[in-house]
Amino acid sequence: MSQISIARPAPIAFPSRFKPLAVNLNLRAYFLLAPSLVFLVAFTYWPVLQVLWQALHQQDSGHTVFVGLANFTAIFADSAFRNALVNNLIYAVATVVPSLILALGFAITLQQSSWVNGLLRSLIFAPVLVPLIAVSSLFLFIFLPGIGLLDHYLAMLGLAGANWVGDPDIALYSIVGLTIWKNAGYYMLFFLAGLQAIPAEAGEIAMIEGASHWQRLRYVTLPYLHNSLAFVLVIALLNVVTQVDHIFVLTKGGPSESTNLLLFYVYQQAVEHYDIGKASAATVVSLVFLLGLSAVSLRRMEQSAEAQT
Amino acid sequence: MSNRLLSMSALAVAACLTTFGAAQAATNIEMFFPVPVDGQLARDMGTLVKKFNDTHPDIVVTPVFTGSYDDTLIKTNAATKAGKPPAAVIMSANFLTDLVIEGQIQPFDDLIKASGKTDDEFMGQFFKALHPNAVINGNVYGVPFQNSTPLLYYNKEQFKEAGLDPEHPPKTWQELIVAAQKLTKRDGERVTRWGITMPSSYDYCGWLLEALTMSNGGRWFNEDYGGEVYYNAPSTLGAVTFWSDLANKFKVHPTGEQKAPGVSTAFLAGQTAMMVLSTGSLTHVRKNAKFPFGVAFVPSNVRNAVPIGGASLVQPKGLDAEKRKAGWTLITWLTAPEQSGWWSRATGYFAPNKGAYALPDMKEFLAKNPEAKIALEQLEYAKPWFATYKTLAVRKAIEDQMQAVLSGKVEPKQAVETAQKNADEIMRPYVERTALKLPAMN
Amino acid sequence: MSRRRFDLDDLWPRFGRVAVIAAAVLWTVPFIWMIVSAFRPSDQGAAAMASLIPDYRPTLDNFREAWADANFPLYYLNTTIMVAGILAVQIVTMSLAAYAFARVKFPGRTVFFYLFLAQLMLVPIALLVPNLATVARLGLYDTLLGVMAPYFATAFGTFLMRQAFRTIPTELEEAAVLDGARWWHLIRYIYLPLSKPALIAFAIVSVSAHWNEFLWPLMVINSPDNRPLTVGLAMFTMGAEGAQAWGVNAAGTFLVIAPLLICFALFQRRFINSFVTSGLK
């Protein structure tokens, strides 16, 4: 038990509680990490190393040549890649912000448990249960020009419809609409959970002090939801970069590249162009993009957690 | 105790060995297939494979549904790289040139030779137009399985209503515009029925534009060399302009990109009086149309010509000899006249094997379904499907432009120039190491 | 409190409520269409396809067709095994790792932590080919285990649990150690129960991610017997030659989501309440 503590005598004033925790379990830490590490090595680090290696090489009729950063300069010179990057940014902002606001609104309005609220929650949550691949074919019909659900009812109201996913000017926003529909209920759930943690007294005190609904929202509810907000932000950001099934089924990045996103660009390079070098370089860039996004939000999450303890 | 354990494990090993021995009698192989229309066809494929397994006791085929044509390509490449190549894949026929250049599939020549035939004799059973997409650099890489051409579908009822003769569909571009104008119905600003709709989503867009270019006398690409396309040729410009005019000038065709499922749905709902779609959709349209419909050749401007479409059976590299042979048995069986004809009747694709049309079942079917006969007659004018180095990217170069033209964002002239420039850029590495690799002077 | 101000203030929640009800109705429209068209007979034609009001005698033909095309109960089972299996293993790996990161000081802790986080950025498509090769080498090709294996370690889960573990007072642990508890007792009886909200939040993320997954299972699975729901559904949703059987498609989707939706409606209240722990926070 104490071999390690003998080897490294603790200072006299050291608080006793650090002894069993910090020193004794030292070796055990690696043992605790081992199960995760085995899978991470096999399915993350090893393939990522391959990707990095490929990003620096070019496959040319069976030969592999080291090309340094040529793949990176190639993708940045590729207007399709820059276009995908811009599209992804627009898509990220246009889906995350409204989804979060809607989800928050839903959660606050439906926080009291009653059967009506239960029903409404279920209705709003329902899209989460439909696999994205089925959502896409459902919306393929909804978006059909002329005959689809949207245009059919717009025509009844005497409004001209649109070619929702066939017009390069609006296709990306139609995809945004689909994504908000699919995800708002998902995020609502986390906010509902966060709201449960607000002590009832907090709201009551504010009420007695004559705070308006807005003031209560601003000064009582939102500060408590800080944690949930940070959490939802992280998953929402990860979603906008890593989930592209609907692009696969609905638009394939078209028309005229208007709905091409980073991950779909990677797919095109790897599968359609047989260009593993460029695909890997684009992967590395999207990795950095994601790393940046999630580092910021994870740090926020960490800070808000620390602020609470 | 330990003795008992020992004898038990010995028993278990013995049991394993026996089952292994039994299983070895039959070769287990997999066939990847994309699903062409709906679940029904996946079931038909199951029926077909079951019939094969019943008649070939030494081979067990598992039919593996692999999503769309694109998904099938990814899955085949991934499985091959992972050391698990399937013994047969139904692969979109225009991927073949690319797969050969990238070294992903292997030729069948040795297997054909072993069966006592020459390549020409073997390919001779299939329609001539299918050869260029299957025989690459003199080797047979694909065996045609389900093939199609674009076809003009029209609603006979609406033809009558518009004062057109339902037995004489438009033959030329001129006639097409006249008919489409009569067929288009407006309610104020809103169009309630379009004269004609052609799908312009990726894949379909390039295929139909190739059809229009060919019927405008053009070639679209160099059939003998994978590094050349003729996007800025007058014949292509004419085709792009014609499609653009239908939408933007005559306003008888909806603007913006049209997705193929949307086009067939609009046709079935009577919201477009004519459409151009694959012969592979024939069965679906026949089953679902609530009105008499007719089919006709794709209207032409200079000559009758359409590209081939559809899929061939291929074998990836890396198969062991036994599985390769079993896969070959399956491939030849599936493409034999009887099966070829059966699948054709189930789907609407034409049967690539000419022998299928000599069978009584097929004769009877054609007599009952005259539209299937028209699809067959058009084959006489069929030409190879567009296939180059990096086919999909090169095709997309013009599709992106065509979609922009249909949305009124780019003029046809500028579109074909941009498309040509982008396509040349994509093919440059290949051109540089082939056509432009010239003998050096010392 | 003046009378006027009270009225205005009271109006906001009501307005919010009306807006939410309107949104909920809007949210439901695609489902209504799905249900209406799943029961629509095919001889109805395509003319009124977009109608949300059934104007026909309902038929079960589409369901019959969908049921015959795909073995839904089996696919359901496969997806359930897959999703539950991933989650079960994840809970083990992530709570062990999280405990190490939260409570054990060891050389390289920060480095390891960032190494873990790298997995968050995993872009699945790029890793498809190398991962499939690994799965095949392990003999897991065409098995559900092969679909699950790459997800057994989770950076996101580890991060969440580490955060939750750090909020638990060390005094609890010390007391347990004095009573002779070993480290696995600590994790099992102190850390995990006290981190229930984080655990549930993670479970939702994990389950919904793998429930939706299509491309990776499509790569790994060959045998029809191992197919998950998404791959089975794709048989209806992918029309390659421009034809789409909308009714059958709707019926298939309906069959997939109905059981889950009923479960959620019945248990959502308990489910949301389960986020709230006793005592802490």
Side-chain angles (χ1 to χ4, degrees), chain A residues 60 144 147 163 166 168-169 250 252 255-257 267-268 273, chain B residues 70 74 202 257-259 269 390 393 396 400 403 407 409 433:
Chain A
D60 198 16
L144 281 188
I147 182 160
N163 190 349
D169 288 336
L250 265 181
K252 302 255 175 215
S256 305
E257 297 275 351
Y267 157 82
Q268 279 182 326
H273 296 206
Chain B
D70 290 356
I74 316 176
Y202 293 130
E257 179 226 35
Q258 303 297 319
K259 295 190 195 317
K390 295 196 179 175
K396 207 161 164 288
D400 279 332
Q403 290 171 347
S407 303
K409 296 193 156 299
R433 69 168 191 255

PDB file of all heavy atoms in Angstrom, chain A residues 60 144 147 163 166 168-169 250 252 255-257 267-268 273, chain B residues 70 74 202 257-259 269 390 393 396 400 403 407 409 433:
ATOM      1  N   ASP A  60      -0.833   8.425 -57.618  1.00  0.00           N
ATOM      2  CA  ASP A  60      -0.790   8.664 -59.052  1.00  0.00           C
ATOM      3  C   ASP A  60      -0.623   7.337 -59.770  1.00  0.00           C
ATOM      4  O   ASP A  60       0.456   6.762 -59.760  1.00  0.00           O
ATOM      5  CB  ASP A  60       0.378   9.615 -59.358  1.00  0.00           C
ATOM      6  CG  ASP A  60       0.202  10.240 -60.728  1.00  0.00           C
ATOM      7  OD1 ASP A  60      -0.908  10.170 -61.262  1.00  0.00           O
ATOM      8  OD2 ASP A  60       1.187  10.772 -61.246  1.00  0.00           O
ATOM      9  N   LEU A 144     -41.148  19.164 -53.148  1.00  0.00           N
ATOM     10  CA  LEU A 144     -41.338  19.034 -54.591  1.00  0.00           C
ATOM     11  C   LEU A 144     -41.974  20.280 -55.168  1.00  0.00           C
ATOM     12  O   LEU A 144     -42.968  20.764 -54.639  1.00  0.00           O
ATOM     13  CB  LEU A 144     -42.250  17.841 -54.917  1.00  0.00           C
ATOM     14  CG  LEU A 144     -41.679  16.437 -54.893  1.00  0.00           C
ATOM     15  CD1 LEU A 144     -42.704  15.457 -55.423  1.00  0.00           C
ATOM     16  CD2 LEU A 144     -40.401  16.350 -55.697  1.00  0.00           C
ATOM     17  N   ILE A 147     -46.127  20.111 -56.966  1.00  0.00           N
ATOM     18  CA  ILE A 147     -46.982  19.054 -56.453  1.00  0.00           C
ATOM     19  C   ILE A 147     -46.754  18.735 -54.984  1.00  0.00           C
ATOM     20  O   ILE A 147     -47.584  18.134 -54.322  1.00  0.00           O
ATOM     21  CB  ILE A 147     -46.789  17.791 -57.320  1.00  0.00           C
ATOM     22  CG1 ILE A 147     -47.691  16.670 -56.851  1.00  0.00           C
ATOM     23  CG2 ILE A 147     -45.356  17.334 -57.296  1.00  0.00           C
ATOM     24  CD1 ILE A 147     -47.871  15.653 -57.913  1.00  0.00           C
ATOM     25  N   ASN A 163     -39.123  26.345 -56.024  1.00  0.00           N
ATOM     26  CA  ASN A 163     -38.433  25.073 -56.223  1.00  0.00           C
ATOM     27  C   ASN A 163     -37.450  24.951 -55.064  1.00  0.00           C
ATOM     28  O   ASN A 163     -36.283  25.307 -55.176  1.00  0.00           O
ATOM     29  CB  ASN A 163     -37.725  25.114 -57.585  1.00  0.00           C
ATOM     30  CG  ASN A 163     -37.187  23.749 -57.966  1.00  0.00           C
ATOM     31  OD1 ASN A 163     -37.164  22.836 -57.161  1.00  0.00           O
ATOM     32  ND2 ASN A 163     -36.755  23.639 -59.205  1.00  0.00           N
ATOM     33  N   GLY A 166     -34.356  23.015 -55.484  1.00  0.00           N
ATOM     34  CA  GLY A 166     -33.834  23.033 -56.843  1.00  0.00           C
ATOM     35  C   GLY A 166     -33.360  24.404 -57.274  1.00  0.00           C
ATOM     36  O   GLY A 166     -32.760  24.560 -58.328  1.00  0.00           O
ATOM     37  N   PRO A 168     -30.819  27.313 -56.640  1.00  0.00           N
ATOM     38  CA  PRO A 168     -29.560  27.470 -55.900  1.00  0.00           C
ATOM     39  C   PRO A 168     -29.592  28.589 -54.864  1.00  0.00           C
ATOM     40  O   PRO A 168     -28.814  28.563 -53.912  1.00  0.00           O
ATOM     41  CB  PRO A 168     -28.521  27.748 -56.986  1.00  0.00           C
ATOM     42  CG  PRO A 168     -29.237  27.827 -58.275  1.00  0.00           C
ATOM     43  CD  PRO A 168     -30.643  27.372 -58.088  1.00  0.00           C
ATOM     44  N   ASP A 169     -30.500  29.541 -55.024  1.00  0.00           N
ATOM     45  CA  ASP A 169     -30.546  30.637 -54.055  1.00  0.00           C
ATOM     46  C   ASP A 169     -31.191  30.241 -52.732  1.00  0.00           C
ATOM     47  O   ASP A 169     -30.902  30.837 -51.703  1.00  0.00           O
ATOM     48  CB  ASP A 169     -31.327  31.828 -54.627  1.00  0.00           C
ATOM     49  CG  ASP A 169     -30.545  32.538 -55.718  1.00  0.00           C
ATOM     50  OD1 ASP A 169     -29.301  32.415 -55.691  1.00  0.00           O
ATOM     51  OD2 ASP A 169     -31.168  33.162 -56.586  1.00  0.00           O
ATOM     52  N   LEU A 250     -30.897  14.122 -50.338  1.00  0.00           N
ATOM     53  CA  LEU A 250     -31.720  15.160 -50.944  1.00  0.00           C
ATOM     54  C   LEU A 250     -31.064  15.897 -52.100  1.00  0.00           C
ATOM     55  O   LEU A 250     -31.657  16.088 -53.145  1.00  0.00           O
ATOM     56  CB  LEU A 250     -32.123  16.181 -49.888  1.00  0.00           C
ATOM     57  CG  LEU A 250     -33.466  16.009 -49.213  1.00  0.00           C
ATOM     58  CD1 LEU A 250     -33.681  17.134 -48.222  1.00  0.00           C
ATOM     59  CD2 LEU A 250     -34.576  16.010 -50.226  1.00  0.00           C
ATOM     60  N   LYS A 252     -27.227  16.009 -52.870  1.00  0.00           N
ATOM     61  CA  LYS A 252     -25.868  15.674 -53.331  1.00  0.00           C
ATOM     62  C   LYS A 252     -25.028  16.934 -53.492  1.00  0.00           C
ATOM     63  O   LYS A 252     -24.195  17.026 -54.393  1.00  0.00           O
ATOM     64  CB  LYS A 252     -25.919  14.928 -54.669  1.00  0.00           C
ATOM     65  CG  LYS A 252     -26.712  13.660 -54.630  1.00  0.00           C
ATOM     66  CD  LYS A 252     -25.805  12.459 -54.637  1.00  0.00           C
ATOM     67  CE  LYS A 252     -26.598  11.190 -54.466  1.00  0.00           C
ATOM     68  NZ  LYS A 252     -25.920  10.191 -53.712  1.00  0.00           N
ATOM     69  N   PRO A 255     -28.287  22.188 -56.095  1.00  0.00           N
ATOM     70  CA  PRO A 255     -27.859  22.464 -57.469  1.00  0.00           C
ATOM     71  C   PRO A 255     -26.717  23.463 -57.523  1.00  0.00           C
ATOM     72  O   PRO A 255     -26.639  24.352 -56.667  1.00  0.00           O
ATOM     73  CB  PRO A 255     -29.116  23.059 -58.102  1.00  0.00           C
ATOM     74  CG  PRO A 255     -29.906  23.598 -56.959  1.00  0.00           C
ATOM     75  CD  PRO A 255     -29.576  22.761 -55.772  1.00  0.00           C
ATOM     76  N   SER A 256     -25.881  23.296 -58.505  1.00  0.00           N
ATOM     77  CA  SER A 256     -24.720  24.170 -58.707  1.00  0.00           C
ATOM     78  C   SER A 256     -23.929  24.362 -57.419  1.00  0.00           C
ATOM     79  O   SER A 256     -23.565  25.483 -57.091  1.00  0.00           O
ATOM     80  CB  SER A 256     -25.148  25.525 -59.267  1.00  0.00           C
ATOM     81  OG  SER A 256     -25.895  25.371 -60.431  1.00  0.00           O
ATOM     82  N   GLU A 257     -23.686  23.279 -56.688  1.00  0.00           N
ATOM     83  CA  GLU A 257     -22.828  23.325 -55.491  1.00  0.00           C
ATOM     84  C   GLU A 257     -23.411  24.120 -54.335  1.00  0.00           C
ATOM     85  O   GLU A 257     -22.719  24.367 -53.360  1.00  0.00           O
ATOM     86  CB  GLU A 257     -21.460  23.950 -55.824  1.00  0.00           C
ATOM     87  CG  GLU A 257     -20.618  23.183 -56.824  1.00  0.00           C
ATOM     88  CD  GLU A 257     -19.807  22.089 -56.167  1.00  0.00           C
ATOM     89  OE1 GLU A 257     -19.768  22.044 -54.923  1.00  0.00           O
ATOM     90  OE2 GLU A 257     -19.258  21.252 -56.886  1.00  0.00           O
ATOM     91  N   TYR A 267     -16.264  13.648 -49.014  1.00  0.00           N
ATOM     92  CA  TYR A 267     -16.818  12.453 -49.642  1.00  0.00           C
ATOM     93  C   TYR A 267     -16.619  12.488 -51.157  1.00  0.00           C
ATOM     94  O   TYR A 267     -16.199  11.502 -51.774  1.00  0.00           O
ATOM     95  CB  TYR A 267     -18.301  12.351 -49.277  1.00  0.00           C
ATOM     96  CG  TYR A 267     -19.110  11.546 -50.240  1.00  0.00           C
ATOM     97  CD1 TYR A 267     -19.131  10.155 -50.158  1.00  0.00           C
ATOM     98  CD2 TYR A 267     -19.850  12.169 -51.239  1.00  0.00           C
ATOM     99  CE1 TYR A 267     -19.869   9.420 -51.065  1.00  0.00           C
ATOM    100  CE2 TYR A 267     -20.582  11.438 -52.144  1.00  0.00           C
ATOM    101  CZ  TYR A 267     -20.598  10.070 -52.057  1.00  0.00           C
ATOM    102  OH  TYR A 267     -21.320   9.341 -52.953  1.00  0.00           O
ATOM    103  N   GLN A 268     -16.911  13.638 -51.758  1.00  0.00           N
ATOM    104  CA  GLN A 268     -16.761  13.754 -53.211  1.00  0.00           C
ATOM    105  C   GLN A 268     -15.328  13.514 -53.650  1.00  0.00           C
ATOM    106  O   GLN A 268     -15.073  12.814 -54.629  1.00  0.00           O
ATOM    107  CB  GLN A 268     -17.167  15.152 -53.665  1.00  0.00           C
ATOM    108  CG  GLN A 268     -18.650  15.302 -53.799  1.00  0.00           C
ATOM    109  CD  GLN A 268     -19.006  16.686 -54.292  1.00  0.00           C
ATOM    110  OE1 GLN A 268     -18.335  17.661 -53.963  1.00  0.00           O
ATOM    111  NE2 GLN A 268     -20.042  16.777 -55.073  1.00  0.00           N
ATOM    112  N   HIS A 273     -13.867  11.481 -56.902  1.00  0.00           N
ATOM    113  CA  HIS A 273     -12.655  11.893 -57.610  1.00  0.00           C
ATOM    114  C   HIS A 273     -11.487  10.934 -57.387  1.00  0.00           C
ATOM    115  O   HIS A 273     -10.427  11.142 -57.947  1.00  0.00           O
ATOM    116  CB  HIS A 273     -12.213  13.278 -57.156  1.00  0.00           C
ATOM    117  CG  HIS A 273     -13.190  14.375 -57.487  1.00  0.00           C
ATOM    118  ND1 HIS A 273     -12.818  15.665 -57.659  1.00  0.00           N
ATOM    119  CD2 HIS A 273     -14.533  14.344 -57.677  1.00  0.00           C
ATOM    120  CE1 HIS A 273     -13.879  16.412 -57.934  1.00  0.00           C
ATOM    121  NE2 HIS A 273     -14.934  15.625 -57.940  1.00  0.00           N
TER     122      HIS A 273
ATOM    123  N   ASP B  70     -24.184   5.195 -55.917  1.00  0.00           N
ATOM    124  CA  ASP B  70     -23.017   5.806 -55.289  1.00  0.00           C
ATOM    125  C   ASP B  70     -22.590   5.039 -54.047  1.00  0.00           C
ATOM    126  O   ASP B  70     -21.412   4.775 -53.834  1.00  0.00           O
ATOM    127  CB  ASP B  70     -23.322   7.260 -54.896  1.00  0.00           C
ATOM    128  CG  ASP B  70     -23.459   8.153 -56.108  1.00  0.00           C
ATOM    129  OD1 ASP B  70     -23.245   7.648 -57.229  1.00  0.00           O
ATOM    130  OD2 ASP B  70     -23.778   9.343 -55.943  1.00  0.00           O
ATOM    131  N   ILE B  74     -18.994   3.165 -53.017  1.00  0.00           N
ATOM    132  CA  ILE B  74     -18.210   3.342 -51.783  1.00  0.00           C
ATOM    133  C   ILE B  74     -18.033   2.001 -51.095  1.00  0.00           C
ATOM    134  O   ILE B  74     -16.950   1.653 -50.657  1.00  0.00           O
ATOM    135  CB  ILE B  74     -18.913   4.249 -50.735  1.00  0.00           C
ATOM    136  CG1 ILE B  74     -19.513   5.476 -51.377  1.00  0.00           C
ATOM    137  CG2 ILE B  74     -17.968   4.648 -49.637  1.00  0.00           C
ATOM    138  CD1 ILE B  74     -20.283   6.327 -50.379  1.00  0.00           C
ATOM    139  N   TYR B 202     -28.089  15.872 -60.315  1.00  0.00           N
ATOM    140  CA  TYR B 202     -26.828  15.257 -60.730  1.00  0.00           C
ATOM    141  C   TYR B 202     -27.094  13.850 -61.239  1.00  0.00           C
ATOM    142  O   TYR B 202     -27.944  13.139 -60.717  1.00  0.00           O
ATOM    143  CB  TYR B 202     -25.844  15.197 -59.557  1.00  0.00           C
ATOM    144  CG  TYR B 202     -25.363  16.547 -59.089  1.00  0.00           C
ATOM    145  CD1 TYR B 202     -25.400  16.885 -57.744  1.00  0.00           C
ATOM    146  CD2 TYR B 202     -24.872  17.487 -59.991  1.00  0.00           C
ATOM    147  CE1 TYR B 202     -24.964  18.125 -57.300  1.00  0.00           C
ATOM    148  CE2 TYR B 202     -24.431  18.724 -59.555  1.00  0.00           C
ATOM    149  CZ  TYR B 202     -24.483  19.041 -58.216  1.00  0.00           C
ATOM    150  OH  TYR B 202     -24.059  20.263 -57.782  1.00  0.00           O
ATOM    151  N   GLU B 257     -33.414  23.401 -60.798  1.00  0.00           N
ATOM    152  CA  GLU B 257     -33.103  21.983 -60.879  1.00  0.00           C
ATOM    153  C   GLU B 257     -34.344  21.154 -60.558  1.00  0.00           C
ATOM    154  O   GLU B 257     -35.084  21.470 -59.639  1.00  0.00           O
ATOM    155  CB  GLU B 257     -31.984  21.671 -59.875  1.00  0.00           C
ATOM    156  CG  GLU B 257     -31.591  20.219 -59.840  1.00  0.00           C
ATOM    157  CD  GLU B 257     -31.462  19.703 -58.414  1.00  0.00           C
ATOM    158  OE1 GLU B 257     -32.221  20.134 -57.532  1.00  0.00           O
ATOM    159  OE2 GLU B 257     -30.576  18.867 -58.197  1.00  0.00           O
ATOM    160  N   GLN B 258     -34.601  20.111 -61.358  1.00  0.00           N
ATOM    161  CA  GLN B 258     -35.728  19.212 -61.100  1.00  0.00           C
ATOM    162  C   GLN B 258     -35.191  17.844 -60.705  1.00  0.00           C
ATOM    163  O   GLN B 258     -34.366  17.286 -61.412  1.00  0.00           O
ATOM    164  CB  GLN B 258     -36.582  19.064 -62.371  1.00  0.00           C
ATOM    165  CG  GLN B 258     -37.116  20.374 -62.912  1.00  0.00           C
ATOM    166  CD  GLN B 258     -38.052  21.045 -61.948  1.00  0.00           C
ATOM    167  OE1 GLN B 258     -38.873  20.396 -61.318  1.00  0.00           O
ATOM    168  NE2 GLN B 258     -37.914  22.358 -61.799  1.00  0.00           N
ATOM    169  N   LYS B 259     -35.679  17.328 -59.577  1.00  0.00           N
ATOM    170  CA  LYS B 259     -35.207  16.011 -59.149  1.00  0.00           C
ATOM    171  C   LYS B 259     -36.032  14.912 -59.811  1.00  0.00           C
ATOM    172  O   LYS B 259     -37.237  15.063 -59.993  1.00  0.00           O
ATOM    173  CB  LYS B 259     -35.296  15.905 -57.630  1.00  0.00           C
ATOM    174  CG  LYS B 259     -34.346  16.887 -56.997  1.00  0.00           C
ATOM    175  CD  LYS B 259     -34.202  16.697 -55.529  1.00  0.00           C
ATOM    176  CE  LYS B 259     -33.540  17.923 -54.902  1.00  0.00           C
ATOM    177  NZ  LYS B 259     -32.421  18.455 -55.655  1.00  0.00           N
ATOM    178  N   ALA B 269     -49.115  12.626 -61.647  1.00  0.00           N
ATOM    179  CA  ALA B 269     -50.196  13.443 -61.102  1.00  0.00           C
ATOM    180  C   ALA B 269     -50.802  14.348 -62.160  1.00  0.00           C
ATOM    181  O   ALA B 269     -51.657  15.173 -61.861  1.00  0.00           O
ATOM    182  CB  ALA B 269     -49.661  14.290 -59.948  1.00  0.00           C
ATOM    183  N   LYS B 390     -12.007  10.266 -64.125  1.00  0.00           N
ATOM    184  CA  LYS B 390     -12.818  10.983 -63.130  1.00  0.00           C
ATOM    185  C   LYS B 390     -14.195  11.387 -63.681  1.00  0.00           C
ATOM    186  O   LYS B 390     -14.606  12.556 -63.618  1.00  0.00           O
ATOM    187  CB  LYS B 390     -12.065  12.201 -62.605  1.00  0.00           C
ATOM    188  CG  LYS B 390     -10.828  11.775 -61.830  1.00  0.00           C
ATOM    189  CD  LYS B 390     -10.260  12.868 -60.968  1.00  0.00           C
ATOM    190  CE  LYS B 390      -9.050  12.306 -60.232  1.00  0.00           C
ATOM    191  NZ  LYS B 390      -8.326  13.267 -59.461  1.00  0.00           N
ATOM    192  N   ALA B 393     -16.671  13.735 -61.662  1.00  0.00           N
ATOM    193  CA  ALA B 393     -16.251  15.125 -61.511  1.00  0.00           C
ATOM    194  C   ALA B 393     -16.371  15.854 -62.841  1.00  0.00           C
ATOM    195  O   ALA B 393     -16.831  17.001 -62.900  1.00  0.00           O
ATOM    196  CB  ALA B 393     -14.822  15.173 -60.995  1.00  0.00           C
ATOM    197  N   LYS B 396     -19.949  16.474 -63.527  1.00  0.00           N
ATOM    198  CA  LYS B 396     -20.474  17.502 -62.650  1.00  0.00           C
ATOM    199  C   LYS B 396     -20.081  18.902 -63.134  1.00  0.00           C
ATOM    200  O   LYS B 396     -20.801  19.871 -62.902  1.00  0.00           O
ATOM    201  CB  LYS B 396     -19.946  17.268 -61.233  1.00  0.00           C
ATOM    202  CG  LYS B 396     -20.829  17.785 -60.154  1.00  0.00           C
ATOM    203  CD  LYS B 396     -20.495  17.116 -58.834  1.00  0.00           C
ATOM    204  CE  LYS B 396     -21.089  17.910 -57.697  1.00  0.00           C
ATOM    205  NZ  LYS B 396     -20.404  19.187 -57.462  1.00  0.00           N
ATOM    206  N   ASP B 400     -23.270  21.389 -63.046  1.00  0.00           N
ATOM    207  CA  ASP B 400     -23.378  22.598 -62.220  1.00  0.00           C
ATOM    208  C   ASP B 400     -23.736  23.801 -63.080  1.00  0.00           C
ATOM    209  O   ASP B 400     -24.527  24.660 -62.679  1.00  0.00           O
ATOM    210  CB  ASP B 400     -22.062  22.859 -61.477  1.00  0.00           C
ATOM    211  CG  ASP B 400     -21.936  22.012 -60.221  1.00  0.00           C
ATOM    212  OD1 ASP B 400     -22.986  21.665 -59.644  1.00  0.00           O
ATOM    213  OD2 ASP B 400     -20.811  21.691 -59.816  1.00  0.00           O
ATOM    214  N   GLN B 403     -27.421  23.482 -64.384  1.00  0.00           N
ATOM    215  CA  GLN B 403     -28.381  23.826 -63.320  1.00  0.00           C
ATOM    216  C   GLN B 403     -28.451  25.336 -63.144  1.00  0.00           C
ATOM    217  O   GLN B 403     -29.525  25.896 -62.925  1.00  0.00           O
ATOM    218  CB  GLN B 403     -27.967  23.149 -62.011  1.00  0.00           C
ATOM    219  CG  GLN B 403     -28.161  21.641 -62.055  1.00  0.00           C
ATOM    220  CD  GLN B 403     -27.557  20.922 -60.871  1.00  0.00           C
ATOM    221  OE1 GLN B 403     -26.780  21.500 -60.106  1.00  0.00           O
ATOM    222  NE2 GLN B 403     -27.895  19.653 -60.699  1.00  0.00           N
ATOM    223  N   SER B 407     -31.665  27.895 -63.804  1.00  0.00           N
ATOM    224  CA  SER B 407     -32.131  28.850 -62.795  1.00  0.00           C
ATOM    225  C   SER B 407     -31.975  30.272 -63.291  1.00  0.00           C
ATOM    226  O   SER B 407     -32.169  31.221 -62.527  1.00  0.00           O
ATOM    227  CB  SER B 407     -31.344  28.671 -61.497  1.00  0.00           C
ATOM    228  OG  SER B 407     -31.453  27.365 -61.031  1.00  0.00           O
ATOM    229  N   LYS B 409     -29.247  31.874 -64.109  1.00  0.00           N
ATOM    230  CA  LYS B 409     -28.116  32.590 -63.508  1.00  0.00           C
ATOM    231  C   LYS B 409     -26.955  32.759 -64.474  1.00  0.00           C
ATOM    232  O   LYS B 409     -26.108  33.617 -64.279  1.00  0.00           O
ATOM    233  CB  LYS B 409     -27.620  31.842 -62.274  1.00  0.00           C
ATOM    234  CG  LYS B 409     -28.643  31.779 -61.167  1.00  0.00           C
ATOM    235  CD  LYS B 409     -27.981  31.319 -59.897  1.00  0.00           C
ATOM    236  CE  LYS B 409     -28.720  31.761 -58.672  1.00  0.00           C
ATOM    237  NZ  LYS B 409     -28.847  33.182 -58.496  1.00  0.00           N
ATOM    238  N   ARG B 433      -0.123  12.706 -68.504  1.00  0.00           N
ATOM    239  CA  ARG B 433       0.664  11.473 -68.462  1.00  0.00           C
ATOM    240  C   ARG B 433       0.287  10.519 -69.598  1.00  0.00           C
ATOM    241  O   ARG B 433       0.825   9.428 -69.690  1.00  0.00           O
ATOM    242  CB  ARG B 433       0.554  10.797 -67.095  1.00  0.00           C
ATOM    243  CG  ARG B 433      -0.778  10.213 -66.748  1.00  0.00           C
ATOM    244  CD  ARG B 433      -0.666   9.326 -65.502  1.00  0.00           C
ATOM    245  NE  ARG B 433      -1.882   8.567 -65.325  1.00  0.00           N
ATOM    246  CZ  ARG B 433      -2.798   8.842 -64.413  1.00  0.00           C
ATOM    247  NH1 ARG B 433      -2.630   9.833 -63.578  1.00  0.00           N
ATOM    248  NH2 ARG B 433      -3.878   8.089 -64.319  1.00  0.00           N
TER     249      ARG B 433
END
